[in-house]
Structure formats: C-alpha cells, structure tokens
Amino acid sequence: MTALHHNLSLKDEIRDFWSMRSETFDTQPGHEIFSPEERQGWLALFARHLGAAAPGAKALDLASGTGVISLLLAELGYGVTGLDLSEAMLARARAKTAGKPIRLYAGDAEDTLEEAGSYDVVATRHLVWTLPDPPAAFREWHRVLKPGGRVGIVDVDMTNPRPGNGRALRLLAKLVRRLSTPKPAPAYAAAHEEIVSRVYFSQGCRPEEIARLLTEAGFVDVVIDRDLGAIHRAQGRFMPLYQRLERASQDRFIVSARKPG
C-alpha cells in the first residue's frame, strides 16, 4: 500500500510538472519539430521500426504531450489515440491536431483502460524515463497490442554518456559551456531533478534495460537503434554549440519490439 501511494503521488507530481511546462514546451528544439528535415527524419525512423499503416491500422501514442508524435503517426496512415496525464498538454495538442484522425484524452500509460488487442502500434517519446513502474507499463502495452503489433520507444539516458565518445563529448560540452554565455538554469530544474531521483530509471534510462524488460513482458524481436543522426543534426541547427555537444554525449535511441503472433 505504501508503494501504491508513493507511485500515485509521484504521478501527480509528474502530471503537474508537465502541465507547468506545457506553456513553453513547443518553443524548444527537441520537443516541437522546427524543420522539414527533422520531420522527414522522424517519419523515416518510425517507418523503419513500426512500418507504414495498413488500411484501418490504429496507433496508441502514450505521453502524447502537445501532439507532435501523434501527427507523425497520422501522416504514416494510422488512426491515432493519444493519452497524456496532463490536461494542459492535451489542450495544446487538440488545437494542433484538429481535423486529423487523432483522438486525445487524459490517461495513464501504465493503465490505459484500452481494450485488449486493439492497437497495431504503441509509440512513445521521452516517456519511459519518467515511469514509476516500467515493467507494469510494458505488460499493459503488450496487452493492448494485436498479435504481431509493434512498440517503438524513443528515449534518452541523460545520466550515462553514450557508448564510444560520449564521455569525451561531455567533457568538451562542459568546456564550451564555460567559455560561452549559457542561459541560466530554468526555474523548474530543481523540481525536475527531484522527480528524476524517484523514478525507476533514476540511475539512467539504459536501452539495454528497456530491452530486457520488454522481453520479460513477452515481446520478441527487440532492437536497440541509436541511428537518430538525421533528427539530431536537424535539431542542432536551432541550438547553441554547448547544447549540441551535451545532447551528442547522451545515449539517445529507439527500442522497438513485436508482440508474438
């Protein structure tokens, strides 16, 4: 019972945090899409891992935020349902997705209340690192997918440097930051760090651990793909050098998998 109350409290804090962030969310590179090149990069990534939609195919976009990923999935031909804890985020998404085959409502990614076997695709971006209980979430996503359905998880490990030159890039980013005039830490930074300290992936959202948990939940054909370069180059055009280096040092990836059948 203590753990349940803790998780409910944490989810409330996560909801309130992203509701507060909703006002400026779409102003930041890496959240909203600012160029045709980035948009094409995202479409290619999801097509590679989820496939173009067959007629009548349905996608579930979890932590749908302001609707960025929902719009991409709709462009690939899916009828989209977007769930988010934050009504403030959903209000902005509804304004952006009007007239599209997208329905949006408040919901919990760990307990969607959707019918079993009702979706061809489940997609998330920057959700899994915030989850109090990823194993429960992955079991839920497995449940709502049709046999043969696919999941695509785009996320980032902001704690541990990426394999290869990540550590060197992190050191270089710190040096460039000292020599530049970086923006002051945002007012919400302390709240963000406090939330991060309490989630499942508090020590870093490692893709290998996501892959392991997906396998435990019953998924097969699990793939870790770090080839997001086209997206990151397009985003970097709108970032100062130190931020581009910081992001390049982080382990950014998509993990995809399939429900057997």
Side-chain angles (χ1 to χ4, degrees), residues 119-142:
Y119 286 95
D120 301 274
V121 160
V122 170
T124 76
R125 184 182 69 163
H126 302 166
L127 162 67
V128 167
W129 71 269
T130 72
L131 290 174
D133 192 352
F138 295 169
R139 291 191 297 270
E140 172 68 358
W141 305 353
H142 188 278

Side-chain angles (χ1 to χ4, degrees), residues 223-259:
V223 173
I224 297 171
D225 181 0
R226 293 180 168 94
D227 184 14
L228 279 65
I231 295 168
H232 297 152
R233 285 191 296 272
Q235 292 173 344
R237 291 167 51 197
F238 302 91
M239 298 174 181
L241 178 58
Y242 74 85
Q243 188 178 8
R244 295 201 302 271
L245 290 168
E246 286 172 351
R247 288 170 65 88
S249 76
Q250 297 165 348
D251 196 5
R252 292 176 174 267
F253 52 85
I254 183 171
V255 182
S256 62
R258 180 176 61 84
K259 179 175 178 176

Side-chain angles (χ1 to χ4, degrees), residues 36-53:
E37 293 80 9
E38 183 184 351
R39 179 173 152 276
Q40 287 303 317
W42 281 112
L43 289 170
L45 181 72
F46 284 125
R48 185 163 77 239
H49 285 273
L50 304 177

